[in-house]
Amino acid sequence: MLWLTWRQHRTQLLVTVAALAVLGAVLLINGLGAAGFAAQHAPAADCVADTPECSAYLVEMNERIRPVGELLSWLPLLAPAMIGAFWGAPLLAREFEQGTHQLAWTQSVTRRRWLAAKIVGLGAAVTLGGLVLACAVSPWLAAFDVAPFNVDRFDPRWFRLVGIVPAAWWLSAFLLGMAAGALFRRTLPAMAVTLAVCALAFFGLLRAPSSYAAPVRAVQAEVIDELTPEGSLSVHDYWIDRSGRQYTSQDRTLALAGLCGTDETTKKYAKCSFRHGFRQVAEFHPAGRFWRFQLTEAGILLIPALALGGVAVRRTLRPRI
C-alpha cells in the first residue's frame, strides 16, 4: 500500500518537497546575510531610533526582512489551502469520480486497510511538511531578532509560520479536503469548498490569539520607558482617572486642555497627566504564553478537522459503493 500511495500521490509530494527546498534556500541566504550584517553593525540595545547609527541599522534590517517577509506573509493562507485542495480533496473524490474505488476495494487489500494507509501515510507527510516549514522559518527569524531590531513572534505574519501551528494548519486542511471529497464525491466541488473554508478559517482566526486567554493588566503611575514587556502581545492601551473611568489618549487630552500644554507626546505632558490623577493602563499577553497560544490554536483547528475526518472515514467505509 505504501508503494501504491507513493505512485498515486508522488506529484504532490515532489512539488511540496521542491517548494520547501526552494523556500529553505531563500531563507538561508537571506538569514545569513542579515546575521552577518547584525554582527558587524548592531548598535546598543537601548539606542535611540533617531540617532544616525540606530536609524541606519533599523532601516537596513527592515529592508532585508521586508521582501522575504512579504512572501512569507501569504504562506499561512496559501499553503494550507493548497494542501487541502490538492492533497486532501482528490484523495477520495477522485476515486469515487473515476470509479477506481470499485476495483481497489475488490482486491486482497481491504477497504479499511486501503483507507488507513492513505490517511496515515499522507497525513504524516503533510504534518512533517508543516514542521519542516516551521524549522526553516524559526532560525531565519532568529537572525533578525537582534536588538534593537526585535522580532515579535505574536505578529500575525509569523505566528502561523513557527512552532506547531503550521503543522496543525496543514493537517487540518488535509482532513478538511478529504472530508469534502468523501461528501461531494466530485473533485472540483470538493476543492472549491476546501479553498473557501480555509480562507474563512484563516481570516476568522487572524487576530484571534489575543482572545485565547484573559490579558494581564498593568497600570502605570509614573513615567517609565516600556509599560508592555518586550515580546508580549498588546491587546489594549487606555487611560483611567481616579474613579476608574476609561479615556482614550484623545479624551485625556481634551480633559487636560490648558493644564499640561499641547504636546501630549512628551514625558513632561505624561508627568503632568499623572499629577492630575490619570493612570496609563496596558492589557497584554506575556511572551511566555506563546506556546500556550500555539497549542490553543492547534486544538481549535484539529478538533473539528478530526471530527470531519471521522465523518469521511465513516462515509467511505459504508458497504454501499
Side-chain angles (χ1 to χ4, degrees):
M1 280 304 299
L2 290 177
W3 174 249
L4 177 62
T5 302
W6 159 253
R7 290 293 301 272
Q8 288 184 317
H9 302 280
R10 59 187 174 185
T11 301
Q12 295 102 308
L13 285 163
L14 292 174
V15 169
T16 304
V17 169
L20 288 172
V22 171
L23 179 62
V26 171
L27 294 177
L28 178 63
I29 295 171
N30 184 254
L32 288 175
F37 175 81
Q40 296 180 10
H41 300 92
D46 58 349
C47 73
V48 181
D50 56 1
T51 61
E53 181 187 11
C54 187
S55 179
Y57 173 77
L58 294 174
V59 169
E60 179 63 24
M61 290 291 278
N62 186 65
E63 286 300 310
R64 288 174 179 268
I65 198 174
R66 181 177 54 81
V68 178
E70 289 177 354
L71 171 65
L72 290 178
S73 65
W74 289 99
L75 279 185
L77 171 60
L78 294 180
M82 295 300 101
I83 291 294
F86 293 102
W87 284 62
L91 178 63
L92 298 176
R94 187 164 51 195
E95 299 281 355
F96 288 121
E97 193 172 37
Q98 297 176 354
T100 53
H101 66 295
Q102 300 186 50
L103 175 62
W105 296 344
T106 57
Q107 306 303 307
S108 59
V109 177
T110 64
R111 185 185 308 193
R112 190 180 300 275
R113 182 182 170 192
W114 177 90
L115 189 60
K118 292 269 191 175
I119 296 175
V120 174
L122 295 178
V126 163
T127 304
L128 180 60
L131 293 175
V132 168
L133 174 63
C135 290
V137 173
S138 293
W140 174 77
L141 281 178
F144 289 90
D145 196 13
V146 179
F149 191 89
N150 296 302
V151 175
D152 179 11
R153 285 172 172 75
F154 281 116
D155 190 307
R157 294 176 298 172
W158 319 129
F159 181 74
R160 293 175 181 90
L161 290 172
V162 295
I164 62 171
V165 166
W169 273 94
W170 284 35
L171 180 58
S172 62
F174 169 75
L175 294 173
L176 168 64
M178 183 188 70
L183 294 174
F184 290 98
R185 301 198 173 194
R186 293 290 184 273
T187 303
L188 289 180
M191 293 175 69
V193 168
T194 302
L195 291 172
V197 174
C198 284
L200 289 173
F202 173 78
F203 289 109
L205 293 175
L206 186 61
R207 302 289 179 180
S210 61
S211 61
Y212 288 165
V216 174
R217 186 173 184 265
V219 180
Q220 177 180 352
E222 59 181 351
V223 176
I224 57 177
D225 291 334
E226 289 290 341
L227 182 58
T228 304
E230 187 69 41
S232 59
L233 174 62
S234 178
V235 177
H236 188 34
D237 294 308
Y238 54 91
W239 292 78
I240 57 174
D241 60 14
R242 290 188 177 92
S243 65
R245 178 185 173 188
Q246 292 189 16
Y247 290 78
T248 64
S249 294
Q250 184 177 5
D251 292 337
R252 177 200 55 152
T253 302
L254 293 174
L256 293 174
L259 298 176
C260 296
T262 58
D263 189 358
E264 64 273 12
T265 62
T266 63
K267 290 185 177 181
K268 180 180 179 180
Y269 191 96
K271 290 180 180 179
C272 179
S273 300
F274 295 138
R275 286 198 303 271
H276 285 83
F278 282 89
R279 299 292 182 265
Q280 189 174 9
V281 180
E283 295 181 356
F284 60 92
H285 296 289
R289 291 184 177 179
F290 175 80
W291 285 106
R292 175 182 174 183
F293 285 7
Q294 286 264 313
L295 290 170
T296 300
E297 182 149 315
I300 292 172
L301 293 167
L302 290 176
I303 290 174
L306 290 171
L308 287 173
V311 171
V313 170
R314 181 181 177 85
R315 181 173 176 81
T316 306
L317 293 179
R318 286 177 180 176
R320 179 179 63 85
I321 295 179

